[in-house]
């Protein structure tokens, strides 16, 4: 957008110095807004929506592009009220409320899901186009009757700069399995630790590396829970890191045993760009990143035994680490080039490049 001559304001809560400077380096103007990322507080959310309305009235943008659940909902509504002429949203996954976890069957979770659908409906009516990253998410809203199919636009993902994340030959010994993500139960952290424990008993040299920080999301694991899994499984937890390239390069296989409602997992796209075979689950978004038997394996969600069996396959047939990793890079070049995806979005925004 900046390179096309557009003045870009980046509205977000909780800017820290690192993020603020990163936004400035991209050529955009960081703007602080109030918004609580997790939880549901009608009074707070209404106040934040009115705050967004006032900010948008002051900035007078020609277009709003929002992503993540609260910005999509409250940002789109505020933009319509503020008279912003063009409004677009990106739904990059549906999150824990729409997950298949047993906890989503409770009356409270069902009520939250119905509320979220109603609010999404208001937001979608305010948007010219809504971008999605997998067909399952499109169908969720079309079937619910709150999104006309013609208003949805399917992208392959957020995209990866393939020049920055270059292909690196994978190590095959010791086999090193990497999982990156927020430490949410729905991301399959427990299953990853369970599989690590199983595989360690058979192949004690194998390594299992977990990257990610604690998260206040309702599905977030506590530090004590994660540390307990480390002790029990032999998994290595390195916490949050800003630059994942070296960790992906040091891995043999990328693992994402998620049953979270992913859009198109960015971490998997990054690992594929570096040339890593993938083990993931038959869950929305996740299953779209793997061609079974070509660049990795798909296993049932919440099944540590099946995950362990797939890991053992790579240890017992190390050539698969190399050949499937090469296929991952090919698929990343074909599907996830950020420049191709950006051009698609800019065309929908009517921004000439």
């Amino acid at each position: 957008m900046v390179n096309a001559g557009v003045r870009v304001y980046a509205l977000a809560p909780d800017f820290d110095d690192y993020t603020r400077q990163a936004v400035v380096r991209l050529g955009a103007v960081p703007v602080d807004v109030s918004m609580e990322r997790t939880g549901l507080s009608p009074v707070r959310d209404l106040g934040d929506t009115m705050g967004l309305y006032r900010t948008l009235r002051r900035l007078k943008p020609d277009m709003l592009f929002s992503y993540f659940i609260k910005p999509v909902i409250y940002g789109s509504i505020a933009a319509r009220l503020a008279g912003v002429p063009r409004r677009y949203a990106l739904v990059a996954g549906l999150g824990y409320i729409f997950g298949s976890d047993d906890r989503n069957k409770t009356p409270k979770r069902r009520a939250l899901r119905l509320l979220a659908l109603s609010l999404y409906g208001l937001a979608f009516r305010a948007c010219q186009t809504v971008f999605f990253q997998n067909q399952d998410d499109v169908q969720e809203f079309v079937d619910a009757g709150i999104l006309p199919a013609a208003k949805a636009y399917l992208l392959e993902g957020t995209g990866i700069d393939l020049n920055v994340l270059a292909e690196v030959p994978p190590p095959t010994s010791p086999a090193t399995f990497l999982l990156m993500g927020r430490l949410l139960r729905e991301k399959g952290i427990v299953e990853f630790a369970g599989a690590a424990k199983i595989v360690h008993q058979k192949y004690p040299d194998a390594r299992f590396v977990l990257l990610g920080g604690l998260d206040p999301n309702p599905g977030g694991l506590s530090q004590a829970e994660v540390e307990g899994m480390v002790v029990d499984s032999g998994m290595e937890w390195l916490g949050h890191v800003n630059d994942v390239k070296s960790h992906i390069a040091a891995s043999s296989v990328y693992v994402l045993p998620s049953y979270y409602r992913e859009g198109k997992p960015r971490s998997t796209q990054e690992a594929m760009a570096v040339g890593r075979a993938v083990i993931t689950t038959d869950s929305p978004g996740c299953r779209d990143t793997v061609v079974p038997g070509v660049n990795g394996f798909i296993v049932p969600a919440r099944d540590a035994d099946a995950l362990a069996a797939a890991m053992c396959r790579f240890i017992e047939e190390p050539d698969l680490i190399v050949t499937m990793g090469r296929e991952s890079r090919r698929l990343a070049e074909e599907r996830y080039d950020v420049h191709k995806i950006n051009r698609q979005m800019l065309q929908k925004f009517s921004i000439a490049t």
Side-chain angles (χ1 to χ4, degrees), residues 31-202:
V31 178
D32 291 279
V33 296
S34 173
M35 187 172 291
E36 192 175 36
R37 187 169 70 83
T38 61
L40 183 66
S41 171
V43 174
R44 166 73 186 269
D45 291 343
L46 178 61
D48 288 343
T49 303
M50 296 312 298
L52 282 171
Y53 163 80
R54 289 189 292 270
T55 298
L56 293 171
R57 291 279 291 181
R58 173 173 59 84
L59 296 175
K60 295 183 172 61
D62 299 297
M63 188 194 93
L64 180 90
F65 172 53
S66 57
Y67 50 97
F68 295 124
I69 180 169
K70 286 194 177 183
V72 164
I73 291 172
Y74 302 129
S76 300
I77 293 170
R80 187 175 196 173
L81 293 173
V84 178
R86 293 182 290 142
R87 303 169 296 270
Y88 303 87
L90 167 65
V91 178
L94 300 186
Y96 80 98
I97 291 177
F98 290 86
S100 59
D101 188 357
D102 289 340
R103 290 175 297 169
N104 284 313
K105 298 175 183 178
T106 65
K108 180 180 179 181
R109 239 8 126 74
R110 286 197 295 267
L112 284 173
R113 185 178 180 278
L114 289 173
L115 177 60
L117 284 172
S118 298
L119 292 172
Y120 266 126
L122 290 174
F124 293 161
R125 283 196 287 275
C127 294
Q128 278 83 359
T129 300
V130 182
F131 297 96
F132 291 86
Q133 295 182 347
N134 68 67
Q135 187 60 40
D136 291 281
D137 290 353
V138 174
Q139 211 59 47
E140 183 86 31
F141 292 118
V142 171
D143 289 347
I146 63 172
L147 176 72
K151 191 178 277 193
Y153 189 94
L154 192 61
L155 298 167
E156 282 286 7
T158 305
I160 298 296
D161 190 329
L162 297 167
N163 296 318
V164 173
L165 281 174
E167 186 174 9
V168 178
T172 57
S173 182
T176 302
F177 300 90
L178 173 68
L179 167 57
M180 305 182 292
R182 293 177 293 147
L183 299 189
L184 306 177
R185 192 174 301 276
E186 292 88 352
K187 289 282 187 179
I189 310 297
V190 175
E191 288 74 18
F192 183 68
K197 183 177 180 179
I198 294 168
V199 177
H200 255 152
Q201 293 172 354
K202 191 174 182 181

Side-chain angles (χ1 to χ4, degrees), residues 282-293:
D282 190 17
S283 300
C286 295
R287 55 176 165 250
D288 298 332
T289 60
V290 168
V291 179

